[in-house]
Amino acid sequence: MARWPDPWRLSYNGDLCKASAALPLSLAKSQKANMHIPDGYLSPSTCAVLYGAAAPFWYTALQRVKKNLSTRLVPLLAVMAALSFVIMMFNLPLPGGTTGHAVGVAIATIILGPWASILAISIALVIQAVFFGDGGITTLGANCFNMAIVGSLVAYAVYRLAAGRAALTSSRRVVAAALAGYTAINASALCAAVEFGIQPLFFKDPSGAPLYAPYPLSIAIPAMMIGHLTFAGLAELVLSAGVVAYFQRTNTSLLKLTAPGNLAADEEIAGADSQSMWRTVRPLWIGLALLLVLTPLGILAAGTAWGEWSARDFSTRQAREKMAMASHNTAPPVQPPRGLERLSSLWTAPFPQYAPSFVRRPAVGYALSAMFGAGAIILVSLVAGSLATGGKSRG
Amino acid sequence: MNFLERTLASFLNAVEHALDAEDLAKADGLLQRLDPRIKVIGILTLIIAAATAHKLWVIGAVFAIALSLAVSSRVSPLLLAKRVWIPVLLFTGIIALPAPFVIPGRVVWRLPELGWPMTAQGLLSARYLVTRVETAATLSVLLILSTPWTRVLKALRVLRVPVVLVVILGMAYRYIFLLLESARDMLESRRSRMVGELKGSDHRRLAAASVGVLMSKTLQLSGDVYSAMLARGFHGEVYMLDDFHTAALDWMMLAVFAVLAAGAFYYGR
């Protein structure tokens, strides 16, 4: 029998969270069937931000799909949205004897491409929310952002990367589809978990009770992810892999859209592809270069970023004042949190505070750090890209 | 129940919901008599008011408004309990259950034997979540139970939703039922040919093949629908006839919605 120490009789700081042991399981069970966020879980401001975040994707998706389909757009999107809706109602049998629902986002992406998938899944989510009350109306932007947008884009990236240029009937495509489905639905769940988890940070009533989803990130993320890494992820995995395997046997032409390396006039199309690819990504490269040049602007920002403190900051007066200012004049604890102190020695950044030790001027250090960071990311992407291309030539 | 039966049951549930909605939308009640545009704006404002409120009693008051709207629109509380309240309570209730033990705050009670502390703040936050979700879900279901879907869609035009999206939503809704029927026939015919139990992996193969067939059928259907649209002279432009008329009751109810929502926003701060 667990006894709580005396001071806990009057107040409870929630640190131990022993009582939450049952939570992940209960959430996992209830989330198995549903990851549509209902109204009331997210604050209106979070909802507005997520509607805003979804809008440019919807706009771009509509423009792209319109360009490719022109007048076919209306009937194709309508029936594909209807199909997405019906797929979401399938109870998929999972290993272990249970069943689970899938969103079908990876399979929609593989057959239709990511942009049409974003639109089809979003429309299906609108009908589910408005007509069937599955998912909220204020949270519609969040649901579309998590499942339709993040889901489609992650599924596309993973599928293309994992499938490489493998033949349309290659079993590598089945594995790629399985991975795409599993990763996409878990990425969507992670987004939802983060949205839940930030609610108690920002929205509390005067007594300190959370107004919306009550659990902090430390509980929301594991609770959501356990359900999705197991049941929901598995359902998506089974569906994506199964349908791709089915099309490999019956109608491979449906898999062509997201396998450009397999078209007949490979050479010509690849040439045209790389040209049009360059045309598409050119504005992104220009934007990235501009952002890199503008990085020293970050130095002008006043104050410190909330929560980005080091253990040392707790002992200097100046840093303590800045922390209090950033926390609505709440004084930070006298001693640095023990966990922070212990973990801060685990890893030392190569460029602490965005300033390599050999550079004197902070602006130059800042720009250098940005260039180094961006360079590292580009390098990793190129290596991953070339690995995938290597796979294509072998496939 | 195996996957076939469960899936067929969820198809049936969707159709049942649609039939309920169609029947109730024809009834002679308060919400049914309103112009759909006023209804969409009014109910949406109340949902936002419930989502914004920082006081439990204000959310409760919006719930009471929703309940009285339901009763005056001949939507029985029993139906609401079956379609909304119980499912929401089961889903959100389970999620909110650990909150009183997890949220830090003033301890009000301890679980016997285990000694886990239950905090006032945790209890309050669980109540916030459950009442808010129940209220918003009741309101959004009321909208659909009192208005035919096509009219809800047309009313979305007042919120500046693009015409092409409204048309796609309308068509998608129509094809949902066609595809549900097609999927149901497929699963029923498979079930009628089954003797004994299938293995788990066979079930999975069957589910994936069903979705695959449905997908091929859908793509073919989209081609057929497109040809039919072209044959009727479709050039890619979509138009919509707005045949809404507002009466004195509509303006009066708009004012009532506005006052109620303003009150909820003001007192709920």
Side-chain angles (χ1 to χ4, degrees), chain B residues 35-43 246 250-251 253-254 257:
Chain B
D35 183 313
R37 292 171 298 179
I38 306 281
K39 240 185 301 187
V40 166
I41 295 175
I43 288 187
T246 42
D250 294 312
W251 294 110
M253 278 308 288
L254 184 65
F257 279 130

Side-chain angles (χ1 to χ4, degrees), chain A residues 1-6 8-15 17-23 26-27 30-32 34-36 38-44 62 66 69-83 85-87 89-97 99 101 104 107-108 111-112 123-124 126-127 129-133 135 137-138 203-216 219 238-239 241-243 246-247 249-251 254, chain B residues 1-3 6-7 10-11 13-15 17-18 21 44 47-48 50-55 90-107 110 113-117 119-122 124-126 128-129 132-133 136-137 140-141 143-144 149 152 156 164-165 167-169 171-173 175-177 179-180 183 186-187 200 203-205 207-216 218-219 221-223 225-226 229-230 234-238:
Chain A
M1 186 168 66
R3 294 290 305 166
W4 295 90
D6 262 356
W8 293 58
R9 286 198 176 282
L10 293 175
S11 74
Y12 167 48
N13 66 15
D15 267 351
C17 289
K18 280 191 182 171
S20 69
L23 174 70
S26 65
L27 267 185
S30 48
Q31 292 295 341
K32 180 178 80 169
N34 201 326
M35 79 170 276
H36 301 54
D39 284 316
Y41 278 70
L42 302 181
S43 71
L62 197 62
K66 227 186 218 171
L69 289 172
S70 83
T71 52
R72 276 178 183 274
L73 170 88
V74 173
L76 184 79
L77 277 185
V79 290
M80 287 316 289
L83 177 73
F85 181 95
V86 176
I87 290 179
M89 302 191 74
F90 267 77
N91 268 274
L92 293 161
L94 303 177
T99 59
H101 287 269
I107 197 64
I111 307 295
L112 300 174
I123 291 166
V126 171
I127 298 181
V130 181
F131 193 82
F132 291 93
I137 292 174
T138 55
F203 309 102
K204 285 182 177 176
D205 76 353
S207 76
L211 284 161
Y212 303 96
Y215 305 109
I219 298 177
V238 163
L239 181 82
V243 175
Y246 172 79
F247 283 140
R249 292 196 301 275
T250 56
N251 190 356
L254 287 181
Chain B
M1 254 205 306
N2 62 26
F3 123 82
R6 274 174 199 249
T7 307
S10 45
F11 289 172
N13 194 31
V15 175
H17 177 83
L44 202 62
I47 291 178
I48 296 173
T52 320
H54 288 199
K55 292 194 180 89
L90 285 179
F91 181 72
T92 302
I94 288 177
I95 290 178
L97 208 59
F101 303 101
V102 176
I103 308 300
R106 189 169 55 83
V107 176
R110 257 161 220 288
E113 296 297 315
L114 291 168
W116 289 350
T119 64
Q121 280 80 353
L124 188 59
S125 77
Y128 272 130
L129 188 69
R132 218 188 282 277
V133 176
S140 63
V141 161
L143 173 70
I144 212 67
W149 176 243
V152 175
L156 288 180
V164 63
L165 192 63
V167 170
I168 292 175
L169 278 168
M171 280 178 71
Y173 178 74
Y175 286 109
I176 281 175
F177 293 98
L179 292 178
L180 275 181
M186 227 157 58
L187 299 184
H203 265 307
R204 278 190 286 286
R205 212 165 295 131
S210 311
V211 173
V213 169
L214 207 59
M215 205 161 216
S216 308
T218 307
L219 287 168
L221 176 72
S222 114
V225 172
Y226 179 59
M229 286 166 76
L230 284 182
F234 174 68
H235 293 297
E237 290 293 315
V238 278

Side-chain angles (χ1 to χ4, degrees), chain A residues 64 108 179 214 225:
Chain A
R64 293 211 171 205
L179 269 179
M225 295 321 288

Side-chain angles (χ1 to χ4, degrees), chain B residues 184-224:
Chain B
R184 194 203 58 197
D185 289 348
M186 227 157 58
L187 299 184
E188 282 282 12
S189 63
R190 172 69 209 219
R191 196 167 65 150
S192 66
R193 285 166 176 79
M194 249 166 54
V195 179
E197 281 293 310
L198 283 182
K199 274 194 303 189
S201 55
D202 290 333
H203 265 307
R204 278 190 286 286
R205 212 165 295 131
L206 175 61
S210 311
V211 173
V213 169
L214 207 59
M215 205 161 216
S216 308
K217 278 187 180 177
T218 307
L219 287 168
Q220 200 183 348
L221 176 72
S222 114
D224 294 348

